[in-house]
């Protein structure tokens, strides 16, 4: 599997150049096999990229800007989604690649991660379910809330 990164070698935008450098530098640091495909010098690359970015991911003008990232024929995302995956330590999952051997944690599927969050939110500090409408508050916050309730009752 080769990751395809569509970029523009002769972009006049420094923002686009920085985004392209960020993606390529990060892929190189991870030793991910990728192919940079120039859309400025190759009309076929430009047309392929434009045709294969999903409609819901295209900007309002309909022309996606580089960098755009694909795993073979499968669309991974643009710079913003890449950056989010990088911040979440989920770049391999974003790219559709298995994590390298010896990595600390395999990527968690989105559904499993959401279930864990919901389970954690449904329990208080003592792992007891929190009643409907009752929040899990720290002791200082609980004391403050009690004082406010007492003042309201008076």
């Amino acid at each position: 599997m080769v990751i395809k990164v569509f970029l523009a070698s002769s972009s006049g935008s420094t923002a686009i150049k920085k985004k392209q450098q960020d993606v390529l530098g990060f892929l190189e640091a991870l030793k991910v096999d990728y192919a940079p495909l120039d859309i400025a010098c190759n009309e076929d690359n430009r047309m392929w990229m434009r045709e294969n970015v999903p409609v819901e991911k295209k900007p309002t003008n309909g022309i996606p800007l580089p960098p755009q990232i694909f795993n073979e024929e499968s669309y991974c995302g643009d710079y913003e989604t890449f950056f989010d995956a990088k911040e979440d330590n989920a770049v391999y999952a974003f790219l559709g690649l298995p994590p390298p051997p010896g990595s600390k944690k395999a990527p968690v599927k989105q559904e499993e991660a959401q279930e864990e969050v919901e389970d954690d939110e449904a329990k208080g500090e003592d792992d007891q379910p929190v009643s409907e409408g009752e929040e899990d508050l720290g002791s200082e916050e609980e004391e403050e809330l009690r004082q406010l309730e007492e003042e309201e009752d008076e």
Side-chain angles (χ1 to χ4, degrees):
M1 284 189 254
V2 174
I3 301 302
K4 296 178 181 177
V5 182
F6 288 86
L7 17 109
S9 61
S10 61
S11 173
S13 166
T14 53
I16 288 176
K17 288 178 184 177
K18 286 180 180 179
K19 290 175 181 180
Q20 292 175 161
Q21 290 172 344
D22 187 29
V23 170
L24 297 181
F26 199 76
L27 293 177
E28 287 174 12
L30 292 177
K31 296 180 173 58
V32 170
D33 189 24
Y34 71 92
L37 301 171
D38 191 0
I39 63 168
C41 298
N42 186 320
E43 187 65 26
D44 291 338
N45 286 343
R46 181 187 338 213
M47 295 310 296
W48 192 93
M49 180 194 81
R50 288 182 179 177
E51 290 169 3
N52 288 284
V53 170
V55 174
E56 64 275 5
K57 301 291 183 178
K58 290 183 180 179
T60 53
N61 70 0
I63 301 172
L65 297 174
Q68 296 292 329
I69 305 162
F70 290 80
N71 182 336
E72 295 292 338
E73 309 295 312
S74 175
Y75 182 71
C76 298
D78 59 6
Y79 177 78
E80 282 70 28
T81 51
F82 172 81
F83 182 81
D84 291 342
K86 189 169 96 169
E87 290 293 306
D88 294 338
N89 291 322
V91 173
Y92 288 101
F94 166 79
L95 295 172
L97 299 174
S103 62
K104 290 183 181 178
K105 186 176 179 184
V108 178
K109 290 182 182 174
Q110 187 69 25
E111 297 167 350
E112 293 173 6
Q114 183 62 33
E115 288 172 9
E116 286 179 25
V117 168
E118 289 170 0
D119 289 346
D120 290 345
E121 288 174 353
K123 292 183 179 179
E125 283 183 355
D126 55 1
D127 285 345
Q128 296 299 318
V130 176
S131 302
E132 186 77 26
E134 182 182 317
E135 295 181 39
D136 183 24
L137 303 173
S139 58
E140 288 179 21
E141 291 171 325
E142 287 175 355
E143 183 61 33
E144 210 173 297
L145 184 60
R146 276 191 221 113
Q147 287 175 354
L148 287 171
E149 288 173 349
E150 287 173 7
E151 289 174 7
E152 287 176 4
D153 290 341
E154 295 173 355

